[in-house]
Amino acid sequence: MSAIWAASPSELLMKAAAKASGRRRSFAYRRLPLIAGLALLTIAIAAVLLAPVLASHPPNTIDVLQPLAPPLTPGHPLGTDQFGRDIWSRILYGGRIDLAIAFGATSVTLVSGTIIGLVAGYLGGRVDAVLMRIVDLFFAFPFLVLIIAIIAMLGPSFFNVFVAIWITSWVAYARIMRAQTVVAKKQQYVLAARALGYGRLRVMFRHILPNTAAAVIIFSMVDAIGNIILAAALGFLGLGVQPPTPEWGTMIADGQNYILTAWWLTTLPGLAVVFVGVAFSLIGDGLADVLRSGDR
């Protein structure tokens, strides 16, 4: 206390300004992964949307005179595959499918799993018991084996990959949201809302959900990466998008027999998967840091 009283008002203002500046720099530093991830993802989305403009050839056009042309070949900046199809064009058009799975499948499972977990956690009792036993039933089976079994029954196709992901992936969101809801419904703001006579739907969607959704949103970034890798793995196994439609997993599978003589057939689509995966990973890390700093 004596040190505070001994300091002049100007010194106190300078110290307060320095602390505020440090907090601003710290917050800006925490935002860097988020900004970098959004920038990378924006580049990927813009590239696949502008594929008709950026692509040098249609993705399925065969050039019989230039099979397995290496990168930097005139007219084929990233080379060609064993059929003479342009790799650059196929990566761009294939990215449409993988990003559609990342956004479409993840969004549906995020919404459905969040609602189920919110209802189970808030209502409790038999509703919670039944819904969580269903979740446990899905977790009892290996995830990839369950996906493969569903696609084997429905048949390999782009839409069936969506369906398989929708059927199996919501359970993780439900479990996370249920745990968040069980904790949140004991907080003072929820008890106050219930004391005011608000209905269950208003309490769940107007009070609990906005304060607990951060966990599932951050998890959705990781899940989007997993869905891209899953789509590529299914394409590699021949259970995803069927040839000649370009997709990163099928491109990697097509080039595995040429890995020693034409490395670009598998390496370049693999780098595309890594690029988008890093973007989602940075966004998830950035969101986690920003939300944690906001809590403090």
Side-chain angles (χ1 to χ4, degrees):
M1 291 294 294
S2 60
I4 294 176
W5 286 111
S8 65
S10 61
E11 291 175 343
L12 294 176
L13 289 174
M14 291 177 63
K15 291 181 180 179
K19 289 182 180 179
S21 177
R23 285 194 295 268
R24 286 194 296 269
R25 285 196 297 269
S26 178
F27 182 71
Y29 176 77
R30 292 189 183 98
R31 291 174 59 187
L32 285 178
L34 178 61
I35 295 173
L38 288 174
L40 294 178
L41 188 59
T42 300
I43 292 173
I45 293 173
V48 300
L49 291 179
L50 296 175
V53 178
L54 299 177
S56 54
H57 298 80
N60 294 324
T61 298
I62 295 175
D63 187 353
V64 295
L65 299 179
Q66 290 186 312
L68 298 178
L72 303 181
T73 297
H76 301 287
L78 298 184
T80 62
D81 63 8
Q82 64 271 32
F83 300 109
R85 297 175 298 191
D86 186 68
I87 296 295
W88 168 242
S89 302
R90 292 180 64 79
I91 287 177
L92 291 179
Y93 281 95
R96 291 183 168 189
I97 293 176
D98 288 276
L99 287 178
I101 291 175
F103 285 105
T106 304
S107 299
V108 173
T109 53
L110 167 64
V111 173
S112 58
T114 298
I115 293 175
I116 292 172
L118 179 63
V119 171
Y122 185 77
L123 297 181
R126 293 182 179 179
V127 174
D128 181 33
V130 171
L131 291 176
M132 288 302 104
R133 295 301 74 76
I134 295 174
V135 169
D136 293 338
L137 180 64
F138 276 94
F139 274 112
F141 296 93
F143 176 72
L144 185 57
V145 173
L146 188 58
I147 288 280
I148 292 175
I150 293 173
I151 295 178
M153 290 187 293
L154 299 177
S157 70
F158 174 64
F159 179 75
N160 290 340
V161 172
F162 268 89
V163 173
I165 294 175
W166 293 340
I167 292 174
T168 58
S169 296
W170 63 270
V171 293
Y173 295 95
R175 179 168 284 184
I176 294 172
M177 193 63 193
R178 187 254 182 191
Q180 295 287 321
T181 304
V182 169
V183 175
K185 72 177 183 179
K186 299 177 182 178
Q187 300 298 318
Q188 294 296 324
Y189 67 91
V190 176
L191 298 177
R194 294 173 62 182
L196 291 172
Y198 294 153
R200 289 178 175 178
L201 291 178
R202 175 164 181 171
V203 173
M204 285 191 293
F205 291 97
R206 292 285 299 275
H207 298 276
I208 294 179
L209 182 60
N211 291 285
T212 56
V216 290
I217 292 175
I218 293 172
F219 177 76
S220 68
M221 297 296 104
V222 179
D223 193 40
I225 302 171
N227 288 336
I228 291 176
I229 297 174
L230 176 62
L234 292 174
F236 184 84
L237 296 173
L239 297 174
V241 178
Q242 297 301 295
T245 303
E247 191 273 329
W248 293 340
T250 57
M251 292 176 66
I252 295 172
D254 289 342
Q256 62 179 326
N257 295 327
Y258 303 89
I259 188 66
L260 297 179
T261 56
W263 56 267
W264 56 91
L265 299 186
T266 55
T267 303
L268 297 179
L271 290 177
V273 175
V274 172
F275 183 88
V276 177
V278 169
F280 278 109
S281 179
L282 288 173
I283 293 173
D285 290 342
L287 284 175
D289 290 340
V290 170
L291 292 173
R292 280 199 298 266
S293 65
D295 292 338
R296 289 194 292 268

